[in-house]
C-alpha cells in the first residue's frame, strides 16, 4: 500500500510551529507494511489542499491528513476532501448530540461555528476523539482511503494509536517491513558507499547510507509477508554488510559511543579520567552526557597549554622531544590521567582544531592516547571539517578507540 | 515572490529524522518578503523529485531544496534539477580542484564517488560550503530560481545565512528590508513576549521572537523604499525593545557569548581558566570553539568528584560545610582556578544536571563562580530541561555572567 501524508496549517508555512505529526506517523507506517512516498505541508487554503488531494488520490492508496479540522472558517480540510470526492457535507445528528454533550459537560455554551465539526460526507465515518471536539474522518471510496486527523499532537497521537493504526494494520498488511541501523566510524560516506557498492542496488532488503555527527550509518530495510521472513532477509544482508565493514561498525540502532563505553566501564568496574587539548572539553562533555556517568568518570583536564599538561603530570622532556601534538605526548597524557587521578583508564586527545596549523601540522591532525591496567597505546587520525567539526570528530574518534580498547581487554 | 521548499531524504519518509531545515527556512522567509506556499518532503528518488520540481517550477518563483547532495549513488538532487531544466551535468575544473584540495589538506584519499559533488549545469553557479564537501547550486533560469543546499543543518544554516539569504534579500524584496537580531538570556520566550507585548502587533517594523540554545532572540525587520528610511524605522524600534529588555540583551546579529568574552579578555589582556562539574566540560568546550582561544584560555578542569575539586585547590572545609553544590563552593572553585592555573580570571560551575537530585537539590540547580583581580562573586540560577539542556544552559549562564562581569571591570 502506498501512502502520502498532508500536514495542514498556515503556521507550519510561517515557521511558527514545526510539524511533528508527519515524522510521528512516518516512523510508524513501515511496521504496518505501508510505504510512504510523499509528505506535503500546506496552509489552510482550500484550493491548494484540493489540488494536492487530487494528485495524491491519483498516486496513493491512503491519504493521511493532520490539521485543519478546527471550528473556525480558516479550517478547510473537510471542505477540501468533500471537493475531492464531489460529496456534500451534512451535519450528523449523532455527532451533533455528542458535540453538544461535550460542551454541556463543561458548562460551556457551544459556539455555532463548532457545528461544522459534527459534519460528515456519505463516504466518511467519524473517528472518535475523546481529547478534543473534532472527530476524525475515515473516508473509504473505490478501495482507497482518506484519513483526516486533528492537528494537536495529543489528539492526533491518541487517535492514531487507538483508532487509525489498528484499522490500517488490517488493510495495510500486504507485508511487514523490518529495518536495522548499523553505525560506523572512520570511513567517509563515499568510502562506505564504495565498500558496500555491490549491495546498494538491492531492492529488498534496501540499504541507505546516511552521514551523522558520530559517523556514517547504514539502514537496512527488509520487506516480506511475515515478520519471520523479513527478519531472515534482514539478517542475511546484515551479515554481508558486517563482513564488508568489519571493525568500522561500532554499534547499531540506538547505541551511542559514550553509552557503549559506559556499559563496558561499569561491566569491568573501571574508573575513567580524561586529558584533552584540541577537543577543548568536548570529550568530557560527551562522556558526562550519560546519566550516572559520575559512577565511573572521575573528571577531566582541558590542558590547553604545555604548562598545564606538565602540571597535570606529563613529562616535559616528552613534549620538548616530540612536540605537544604527537603520539608520544598523547600516550603520556593518558598515562598521567591514571597516575594523577588514580583511575583505571585514562584517555587523551591532542591535535590541531584549526583554523591555523600548529607545530607545522594541519588542522584535523589528531592523536589519541589510551592507558589501561594492561598498558598504553596511541592512535593517529586526520579528520576533515571546520574547527567545531574537527573537535567533534576528535572526541568521537577517542570514544571509538576507547570502546575498541575496552572490548579487547580480558 | 512565491517559494516552495523541497526537503529531500529517504530517512525523512522513514521517520528516522525530523526535517528541521524546512521550518528553519520557513521562519526566515517572511523577513525576505518571500511567501512560502508549499513544503514537500521526498525520498532520494529521481523520478518523484523531478516530477515535484516540474510542478513547483510551474507555480513558484523560487524552489529551495535541502538534502540529496552527498557523494553516494542514492543522492540524486542534482540529477533531478538537471532533468527539470534539460541541462547536462559536467565536472567543473575549479570545483574539482577545490574538492581535491579539501581532501589533500586532510591527507584523505578522495573517493571517486565524491567527484559528482564537483559537477554543475550551465544555469548553475556553485554556492560555497566550507563546512562540507558538497557545494550548493544557485540556478537561475527564465527569471526563476532553484537553490539547492546540503541536508546537514550545520552546513545548510551556514550556507543559508552567509550565501543564500543575502542574495534572496535583493531578489525578494520590493523595497528595502533591513533587520537586526537582538540576543537575550535569562528570560523565557513567554517572558520576552510579555515584556515587548505592546510592540508585537507592529507590522512595520515586525518583531519575531525565537528560542535558541543560547537564549531568546528577537528579530526586528523594517521595510521601506530606501535603506536610510528602513534603518531609521529599525533604530526607533530597537531603542524601544532595548529599553524594555535592558540587561537581558547580551548581543546582536552574529554575536556569541564565547566570542564576546574573547573580545573582552583580549581587550584587557586577561587570561582565563575554568573549573566545572555538572556542565561536564561544555563550558571549556564553548570557550575553545573560538579560533585563537589559546591566546587567553590556559585550560580547564572537569572536577566531577569532590576529591578532584580538592586536588584542584578547593578548600575541603568549604565543601563539607556548604556542600559541593553551593554558592560558596562555586566561588572557591573560581578562586582556585586563579591560584592553581595562575590566570587573571577563573570561572566555575557546580550544580545538578540530573536526572536525579544531588545533595537534596533538584536537577537544574546551578551555581556559577567568577573570580577576577578585583574579587570574586557567585551567581545562582535554576534552569529547566533534560540533562543535556541543563548542561547547555549552565554553560551559557556562566558565559553570560562572565561577559557581564568583564564589562563591569574598570
Amino acid at each position: 500500500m502506498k501512502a502520502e501524508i498532508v500536514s495542514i496549517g498556515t503556521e507550519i508555512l510561517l515557521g511558527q510551529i514545526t510539524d511533528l505529526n508527519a515524522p510521528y506517523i512516518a516512523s510508524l507506517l513501515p511496521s504496518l507494511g505501508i510505504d510512504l512516498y510523499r509528505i506535503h505541508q500546506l496552509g489552510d487554503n482550500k484550493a491548494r489542499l484540493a489540488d494536492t488531494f487530487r494528485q495524491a488520490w491519483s498516486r496513493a492508496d491512503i491519504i493521511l491528513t493532520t490539521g485543519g479540522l478546527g471550528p473556525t472558517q480558516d479550517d478547510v480540510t473537510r471542505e477540501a476532501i468533500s471537493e475531492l470526492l464531489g460529496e456534500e457535507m451534512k451535519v450528523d445528528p449523532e455527532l451533533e448530540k455528542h458535540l453538544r454533550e461535550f460542551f454541556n459537560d463543561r458548562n460551556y455554551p457551544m459556539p455555532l461555528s463548532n457545528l461544522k465539526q459534527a459534519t460528515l460526507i456519505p463516504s466518511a465515518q467519524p473517528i472518535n476523539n475523546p481529547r478534543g471536539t473534532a472527530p476524525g474522518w475515515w473516508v473509504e471510496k473505490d478501495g482507497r482511503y482518506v484519513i483526516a486527523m486533528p492537528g494537536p499532537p495529543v489528539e492526533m497521537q491518541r487517535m492514531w494509536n487507538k483508532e487509525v493504526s489498528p484499522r490500517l494494520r488490517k488493510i495495510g498488511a500486504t507485508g511487514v517491513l523490518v529495518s536495522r541501523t548499523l553505525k560506523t566510524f572512520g570511513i567517509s560516506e563515499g568510502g562506505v558507499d564504495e565498500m558496500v557498492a555491490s549491495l546498494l542496488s538491492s531492492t529488498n532488503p534496501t540499504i541507505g547510507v546516511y552521514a551523522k555527527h558520530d559517523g556514517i550509518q547504514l539502514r537496512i530495510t527488509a520487506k516480506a509477508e511475515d515478520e519471520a521472513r523479513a527478519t531472515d532477509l534482514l539478517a542475511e544482508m546484515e551479515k554481508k554488510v558486517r563482513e564488508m565493514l568489519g571493525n568500522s561498525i561500532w554499534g547499531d540502532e540506538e547505541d551511542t559511543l559514550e553509552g557503549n563505553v559506559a556499559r563496558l566501564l561499569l561491566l569491568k568496574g573501571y574508573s575513567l579520567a580524561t586529558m584533552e587539548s584540541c577537543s577543548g572539553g568536548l570529550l568530557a562533555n560527551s562522556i558526562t552526557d550519560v546519566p550516572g556517568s559520575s559512577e565511573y568518570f572521575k573528571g577531566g583536564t582541558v590542558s590547553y597549554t604545555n604548562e598545564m599538561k606538565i602540571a597535570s603530570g606529563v613529562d616535559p622532556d616528552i613534549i620538548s622531544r616530540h612536540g605537544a601534538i604527537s603520539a608520544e605526548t598523547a600516550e603520556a597524557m593518558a598515562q598521567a590521567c591514571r597516575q594523577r587521578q588514580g583511575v583505571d583508564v585514562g584517555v587523551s586527545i591532542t591535535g590541531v582544531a584549526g583554523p591555523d596549523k600548529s607545530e607545522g601540522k594541519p588542522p584535523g591532525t589528531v592523536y589519541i592516547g589510551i592507558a589501561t591496567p594492561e598498558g598504553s597505546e596511541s592512535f593517529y587520525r586526520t579528520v576533515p571539517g571546520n574547527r567545531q567539526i574537527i573537535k567533534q570528530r576528535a572526541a568521537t574518534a577517542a570514544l571509538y578507540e576507547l570502546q575498541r580498547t575496552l572490548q579487547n581487554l580480558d
Side-chain angles (χ1 to χ4, degrees), chain A residues 310-338:
Chain A
I310 292 161
S312 306
V314 178
D315 177 353
D317 295 353
I318 291 178
I319 296 177
S320 53
R321 250 185 292 125
H322 306 281
I325 300 155
S326 64
E328 292 79 0
T329 298
E331 204 166 334
M333 288 165 71
Q335 289 162 343
C337 290
R338 293 195 71 223

mmCIF file of all heavy atoms in Angstrom, chain A residues 310-338:
data_model
loop_
_atom_site.group_PDB
_atom_site.id
_atom_site.type_symbol
_atom_site.label_atom_id
_atom_site.label_comp_id
_atom_site.label_asym_id
_atom_site.label_seq_id
_atom_site.Cartn_x
_atom_site.Cartn_y
_atom_site.Cartn_z
ATOM 1 N N ILE A 310 52.043 19.759 31.698
ATOM 2 C CA ILE A 310 53.132 19.376 32.610
ATOM 3 C C ILE A 310 52.626 19.365 34.048
ATOM 4 O O ILE A 310 52.847 18.417 34.804
ATOM 5 C CB ILE A 310 54.326 20.336 32.436
ATOM 6 C CG1 ILE A 310 54.952 20.137 31.054
ATOM 7 C CG2 ILE A 310 55.363 20.133 33.528
ATOM 8 C CD1 ILE A 310 55.807 21.297 30.578
ATOM 9 N N ALA A 311 51.864 20.421 34.409
ATOM 10 C CA ALA A 311 51.310 20.488 35.769
ATOM 11 C C ALA A 311 50.388 19.300 36.032
ATOM 12 O O ALA A 311 50.170 18.906 37.175
ATOM 13 C CB ALA A 311 50.548 21.802 35.953
ATOM 14 N N SER A 312 49.835 18.723 34.939
ATOM 15 C CA SER A 312 48.911 17.586 35.100
ATOM 16 C C SER A 312 49.644 16.260 35.024
ATOM 17 O O SER A 312 49.003 15.206 34.976
ATOM 18 C CB SER A 312 47.825 17.645 34.020
ATOM 19 O OG SER A 312 47.180 18.914 34.054
ATOM 20 N N GLY A 313 50.976 16.318 34.964
ATOM 21 C CA GLY A 313 51.734 15.073 35.103
ATOM 22 C C GLY A 313 52.415 14.563 33.848
ATOM 23 O O GLY A 313 52.936 13.452 33.826
ATOM 24 N N VAL A 314 52.414 15.380 32.766
ATOM 25 C CA VAL A 314 53.086 14.949 31.544
ATOM 26 C C VAL A 314 54.562 15.339 31.613
ATOM 27 O O VAL A 314 54.898 16.465 31.972
ATOM 28 C CB VAL A 314 52.431 15.597 30.290
ATOM 29 C CG1 VAL A 314 53.182 15.185 29.023
ATOM 30 C CG2 VAL A 314 50.961 15.201 30.200
ATOM 31 N N ASP A 315 55.449 14.391 31.275
ATOM 32 C CA ASP A 315 56.890 14.622 31.318
ATOM 33 C C ASP A 315 57.287 15.705 30.309
ATOM 34 O O ASP A 315 57.083 15.528 29.102
ATOM 35 C CB ASP A 315 57.603 13.306 30.997
ATOM 36 C CG ASP A 315 59.123 13.459 30.953
ATOM 37 O OD1 ASP A 315 59.606 14.608 31.039
ATOM 38 O OD2 ASP A 315 59.801 12.426 30.840
ATOM 39 N N PRO A 316 57.841 16.839 30.794
ATOM 40 C CA PRO A 316 58.212 17.927 29.869
ATOM 41 C C PRO A 316 59.186 17.478 28.782
ATOM 42 O O PRO A 316 59.130 17.986 27.660
ATOM 43 C CB PRO A 316 58.857 18.975 30.786
ATOM 44 C CG PRO A 316 58.996 18.359 32.120
ATOM 45 C CD PRO A 316 58.133 17.164 32.198
ATOM 46 N N ASP A 317 60.052 16.507 29.081
ATOM 47 C CA ASP A 317 61.006 16.038 28.065
ATOM 48 C C ASP A 317 60.278 15.456 26.851
ATOM 49 O O ASP A 317 60.675 15.676 25.705
ATOM 50 C CB ASP A 317 61.941 14.959 28.654
ATOM 51 C CG ASP A 317 62.825 15.532 29.747
ATOM 52 O OD1 ASP A 317 62.783 16.777 29.917
ATOM 53 O OD2 ASP A 317 63.504 14.755 30.428
ATOM 54 N N ILE A 318 59.203 14.718 27.122
ATOM 55 C CA ILE A 318 58.449 14.101 26.009
ATOM 56 C C ILE A 318 57.889 15.194 25.115
ATOM 57 O O ILE A 318 57.989 15.123 23.883
ATOM 58 C CB ILE A 318 57.312 13.199 26.554
ATOM 59 C CG1 ILE A 318 57.912 11.967 27.246
ATOM 60 C CG2 ILE A 318 56.369 12.781 25.427
ATOM 61 C CD1 ILE A 318 56.902 11.033 27.853
ATOM 62 N N ILE A 319 57.329 16.263 25.740
ATOM 63 C CA ILE A 319 56.768 17.360 24.946
ATOM 64 C C ILE A 319 57.864 18.043 24.148
ATOM 65 O O ILE A 319 57.731 18.279 22.946
ATOM 66 C CB ILE A 319 56.056 18.378 25.862
ATOM 67 C CG1 ILE A 319 54.857 17.724 26.545
ATOM 68 C CG2 ILE A 319 55.601 19.590 25.049
ATOM 69 C CD1 ILE A 319 54.136 18.623 27.528
ATOM 70 N N SER A 320 59.002 18.309 24.784
ATOM 71 C CA SER A 320 60.049 19.045 24.060
ATOM 72 C C SER A 320 60.677 18.153 22.983
ATOM 73 O O SER A 320 61.063 18.632 21.920
ATOM 74 C CB SER A 320 61.128 19.530 25.036
ATOM 75 O OG SER A 320 61.605 18.445 25.815
ATOM 76 N N ARG A 321 60.743 16.846 23.225
ATOM 77 C CA ARG A 321 61.369 15.974 22.227
ATOM 78 C C ARG A 321 60.441 15.694 21.044
ATOM 79 O O ARG A 321 60.868 15.737 19.897
ATOM 80 C CB ARG A 321 61.813 14.654 22.869
ATOM 81 C CG ARG A 321 63.346 14.522 22.980
ATOM 82 C CD ARG A 321 63.769 13.163 23.501
ATOM 83 N NE ARG A 321 63.378 12.975 24.899
ATOM 84 C CZ ARG A 321 62.644 11.958 25.347
ATOM 85 N NH1 ARG A 321 62.198 11.042 24.508
ATOM 86 N NH2 ARG A 321 62.342 11.870 26.625
ATOM 87 N N HIS A 322 59.173 15.460 21.321
ATOM 88 C CA HIS A 322 58.261 15.022 20.251
ATOM 89 C C HIS A 322 57.230 16.070 19.864
ATOM 90 O O HIS A 322 56.511 15.903 18.878
ATOM 91 C CB HIS A 322 57.553 13.739 20.679
ATOM 92 C CG HIS A 322 58.469 12.632 21.094
ATOM 93 N ND1 HIS A 322 59.118 11.840 20.178
ATOM 94 C CD2 HIS A 322 58.873 12.222 22.320
ATOM 95 C CE1 HIS A 322 59.870 10.966 20.821
ATOM 96 N NE2 HIS A 322 59.737 11.180 22.128
ATOM 97 N N GLY A 323 57.134 17.137 20.652
ATOM 98 C CA GLY A 323 56.090 18.128 20.390
ATOM 99 C C GLY A 323 54.832 17.793 21.158
ATOM 100 O O GLY A 323 54.612 16.636 21.549
ATOM 101 N N ALA A 324 54.005 18.824 21.422
ATOM 102 C CA ALA A 324 52.762 18.599 22.171
ATOM 103 C C ALA A 324 51.772 17.808 21.326
ATOM 104 O O ALA A 324 50.937 17.067 21.847
ATOM 105 C CB ALA A 324 52.153 19.933 22.586
ATOM 106 N N ILE A 325 51.882 17.965 19.995
ATOM 107 C CA ILE A 325 50.967 17.264 19.092
ATOM 108 C C ILE A 325 51.709 16.072 18.517
ATOM 109 O O ILE A 325 52.325 16.136 17.448
ATOM 110 C CB ILE A 325 50.475 18.219 17.988
ATOM 111 C CG1 ILE A 325 49.735 19.389 18.624
ATOM 112 C CG2 ILE A 325 49.563 17.479 17.016
ATOM 113 C CD1 ILE A 325 49.723 20.637 17.789
ATOM 114 N N SER A 326 51.716 14.996 19.287
ATOM 115 C CA SER A 326 52.468 13.803 18.884
ATOM 116 C C SER A 326 51.869 12.582 19.569
ATOM 117 O O SER A 326 51.170 12.688 20.588
ATOM 118 C CB SER A 326 53.933 13.935 19.322
ATOM 119 O OG SER A 326 54.003 13.975 20.752
ATOM 120 N N ALA A 327 52.172 11.408 18.999
ATOM 121 C CA ALA A 327 51.699 10.149 19.582
ATOM 122 C C ALA A 327 52.264 9.986 20.990
ATOM 123 O O ALA A 327 51.553 9.573 21.912
ATOM 124 C CB ALA A 327 52.121 8.984 18.692
ATOM 125 N N GLU A 328 53.537 10.376 21.148
ATOM 126 C CA GLU A 328 54.189 10.172 22.444
ATOM 127 C C GLU A 328 53.521 11.007 23.531
ATOM 128 O O GLU A 328 53.258 10.527 24.639
ATOM 129 C CB GLU A 328 55.684 10.528 22.355
ATOM 130 C CG GLU A 328 56.497 9.579 21.476
ATOM 131 C CD GLU A 328 56.346 9.856 19.978
ATOM 132 O OE1 GLU A 328 55.594 10.802 19.614
ATOM 133 O OE2 GLU A 328 56.958 9.127 19.179
ATOM 134 N N THR A 329 53.225 12.284 23.213
ATOM 135 C CA THR A 329 52.576 13.150 24.203
ATOM 136 C C THR A 329 51.163 12.654 24.510
ATOM 137 O O THR A 329 50.736 12.636 25.665
ATOM 138 C CB THR A 329 52.544 14.604 23.700
ATOM 139 O OG1 THR A 329 53.891 15.058 23.542
ATOM 140 C CG2 THR A 329 51.811 15.508 24.670
ATOM 141 N N ALA A 330 50.453 12.212 23.469
ATOM 142 C CA ALA A 330 49.094 11.682 23.688
ATOM 143 C C ALA A 330 49.146 10.527 24.688
ATOM 144 O O ALA A 330 48.362 10.471 25.646
ATOM 145 C CB ALA A 330 48.483 11.234 22.370
ATOM 146 N N GLU A 331 50.107 9.626 24.469
ATOM 147 C CA GLU A 331 50.212 8.455 25.348
ATOM 148 C C GLU A 331 50.591 8.888 26.769
ATOM 149 O O GLU A 331 50.027 8.410 27.753
ATOM 150 C CB GLU A 331 51.259 7.487 24.782
ATOM 151 C CG GLU A 331 51.064 6.056 25.232
ATOM 152 C CD GLU A 331 51.887 5.064 24.392
ATOM 153 O OE1 GLU A 331 52.194 5.368 23.218
ATOM 154 O OE2 GLU A 331 52.225 3.998 24.943
ATOM 155 N N ALA A 332 51.512 9.856 26.855
ATOM 156 C CA ALA A 332 51.922 10.346 28.185
ATOM 157 C C ALA A 332 50.758 11.024 28.904
ATOM 158 O O ALA A 332 50.605 10.903 30.128
ATOM 159 C CB ALA A 332 53.083 11.326 28.033
ATOM 160 N N MET A 333 49.919 11.721 28.153
ATOM 161 C CA MET A 333 48.735 12.367 28.751
ATOM 162 C C MET A 333 47.789 11.317 29.330
ATOM 163 O O MET A 333 47.269 11.471 30.446
ATOM 164 C CB MET A 333 48.008 13.224 27.706
ATOM 165 C CG MET A 333 48.746 14.507 27.315
ATOM 166 S SD MET A 333 48.080 15.277 25.788
ATOM 167 C CE MET A 333 46.492 15.890 26.369
ATOM 168 N N ALA A 334 47.589 10.234 28.578
ATOM 169 C CA ALA A 334 46.684 9.173 29.046
ATOM 170 C C ALA A 334 47.243 8.520 30.307
ATOM 171 O O ALA A 334 46.512 8.258 31.269
ATOM 172 C CB ALA A 334 46.472 8.145 27.946
ATOM 173 N N GLN A 335 48.574 8.286 30.303
ATOM 174 C CA GLN A 335 49.199 7.685 31.490
ATOM 175 C C GLN A 335 49.083 8.628 32.686
ATOM 176 O O GLN A 335 48.807 8.208 33.810
ATOM 177 C CB GLN A 335 50.669 7.363 31.195
ATOM 178 C CG GLN A 335 50.843 6.206 30.225
ATOM 179 C CD GLN A 335 52.240 6.185 29.596
ATOM 180 O OE1 GLN A 335 52.957 7.187 29.646
ATOM 181 N NE2 GLN A 335 52.595 5.054 28.997
ATOM 182 N N ALA A 336 49.259 9.936 32.425
ATOM 183 C CA ALA A 336 49.172 10.924 33.515
ATOM 184 C C ALA A 336 47.787 10.926 34.153
ATOM 185 O O ALA A 336 47.643 11.104 35.365
ATOM 186 C CB ALA A 336 49.518 12.317 32.988
ATOM 187 N N CYS A 337 46.729 10.705 33.337
ATOM 188 C CA CYS A 337 45.372 10.612 33.894
ATOM 189 C C CYS A 337 45.326 9.516 34.950
ATOM 190 O O CYS A 337 44.825 9.716 36.057
ATOM 191 C CB CYS A 337 44.352 10.270 32.797
ATOM 192 S SG CYS A 337 44.051 11.594 31.633
ATOM 193 N N ARG A 338 45.871 8.357 34.589
ATOM 194 C CA ARG A 338 45.816 7.212 35.521
ATOM 195 C C ARG A 338 46.571 7.554 36.796
ATOM 196 O O ARG A 338 46.082 7.340 37.909
ATOM 197 C CB ARG A 338 46.426 5.967 34.885
ATOM 198 C CG ARG A 338 45.624 5.410 33.709
ATOM 199 C CD ARG A 338 46.087 4.008 33.374
ATOM 200 N NE ARG A 338 45.669 3.058 34.405
ATOM 201 C CZ ARG A 338 46.436 2.089 34.900
ATOM 202 N NH1 ARG A 338 47.682 1.966 34.507
ATOM 203 N NH2 ARG A 338 45.966 1.281 35.829
#
